[in-house]
Amino acid sequence: MGKNYIDIEDDQGGTLRYRKHANGRGLVAHGAKVHPSAVVEAGAYVEPRAQIGAGVHVGRGAWIEQDVVIGPEADIAAHAHIGPHASIGAKAKIGVRTHVGDHAVVAMGSLIGDDETIGDGERIATDRRGLRLAA
């Protein structure tokens, strides 16, 4: 049985400790809160102070930066990048290789497609088909 954590050096020379999440074996930084029912797939990273709700799915290779809040039953697809301080509403779906910027907000139930970019500070709401709603 191998160890259940790894240490990674950051850009400033400090060390961050990540534990392997029980559901999916993705890496969760010390200080992040991930609900036990959430799945964080292998190759995904959840940074410090992020909060991942019940039933969330974080796909392989996704990167959830610090201070992100992801509501219950949201789906973050493979290789998506959720920028620092962003907020993803409950049951929202974020597509493959999509980038959500710093302090961006994706409303509850929104559908963001593959390879999209949500700008820093942008607020997005869509219908069930992924069509953007007026702000």
Side-chain angles (χ1 to χ4, degrees):
M1 182 170 210
K3 65 182 181 177
N4 202 29
Y5 67 89
I6 64 169
D7 292 325
I8 297 176
E9 186 175 338
D10 64 18
D11 294 337
Q12 291 76 37
T15 302
L16 287 173
R17 177 162 283 183
Y18 293 84
R19 63 182 161 77
K20 295 176 184 173
H21 188 60
N23 291 332
R25 308 299 286 164
L27 297 175
V28 177
H30 178 71
K33 293 183 180 174
V34 178
H35 193 277
S37 68
V39 174
V40 180
E41 290 189 19
Y45 285 85
V46 177
E47 299 295 347
R49 299 177 310 279
Q51 297 176 41
I52 310 293
V56 170
H57 176 260
V58 178
R60 183 174 298 278
W63 180 20
I64 311 301
E65 290 205 55
Q66 71 272 6
D67 299 306
V68 167
V69 176
I70 300 179
E73 298 180 34
D75 185 14
I76 311 301
H79 305 288
H81 176 204
I82 311 300
H85 314 285
S87 185
I88 309 296
K91 297 186 179 181
K93 295 188 185 314
I94 306 297
V96 176
R97 294 176 305 277
T98 290
H99 176 81
V100 176
D102 187 3
H103 288 92
V105 176
V106 176
M108 182 172 99
S110 292
L111 175 62
I112 308 300
D114 297 344
D115 299 307
E116 290 197 36
T117 299
I118 306 301
D120 292 349
E122 198 171 345
R123 297 179 178 276
I124 299 293
T126 74
D127 63 15
R128 286 185 236 168
R129 297 170 293 168
L131 299 174
R132 292 192 183 193
L133 301 173

